[in-house]
Amino acid sequence: RVSKGLLLPLGITQCDLVEPSPRLISSAPDYLGDQYSSQCRYFCTGLQEFTPKPDYYDIIWIQWVIGYLTDDDLVDFLKRCAKGLRKGGVMVIKDNTCESEAFVVARDDGSAT
């Protein structure tokens, strides 16, 4: 949703999507539609294995995935991402947290945080 609703409309000319689920990554071009699907590259792999191209990205957006990585895998992934950023590039991490509960279930989509 971030690629279609934010990054590509803002003028990002190429977007790399990384997703370990073959079902989800194969449905991404249809979701993005003709307007944006050709601007994307699709990587069916986990973040533990993904290595961004060095000095390549202006922005790396990481959303709703870091909780699925081990601490060591996360640290290694973030280090690889840092090497993938161009000078002046930014890394955005968006994840959900809970302050007072062990987890929270979102009623609209059934996701647990």
Side-chain angles (χ1 to χ4, degrees):
R1 295 186 321 210
V2 171
S3 300
K4 182 178 180 177
L6 177 67
L7 299 176
L8 293 165
L10 283 177
I12 300 294
T13 58
Q14 182 176 349
C15 185
D16 288 350
L17 303 176
V18 180
E19 168 59 52
S21 166
R23 179 184 62 82
L24 292 176
I25 200 73
S26 67
S27 67
D30 287 337
Y31 173 75
L32 291 168
D34 293 339
Q35 182 179 5
Y36 296 127
S37 62
S38 64
Q39 292 175 246
C40 295
R41 298 186 308 172
Y42 307 91
F43 297 90
C44 187
T45 188
L47 298 181
Q48 308 89 307
E49 292 88 29
F50 183 71
T51 300
K53 192 175 182 179
D55 195 37
Y56 186 75
Y57 297 93
D58 294 313
I59 184 169
I60 296 177
W61 189 287
I62 304 163
Q63 181 167 323
W64 297 340
V65 295
I66 63 172
Y68 297 101
L69 297 174
T70 66
D71 291 348
D72 289 341
D73 285 340
L74 176 59
V75 169
D76 291 344
F77 174 66
L78 293 175
K79 287 178 181 178
R80 292 192 308 272
C81 286
K83 291 178 183 176
L85 289 172
R86 291 183 179 148
K87 184 177 181 179
V90 296
M91 191 179 324
V92 176
I93 299 175
K94 182 190 179 295
D95 246 310
N96 297 334
T97 61
C98 302
E99 291 184 22
S100 61
E101 303 292 329
F103 66 92
V104 174
V105 176
R107 293 187 189 271
D108 61 336
D109 67 5
S111 62
T113 304

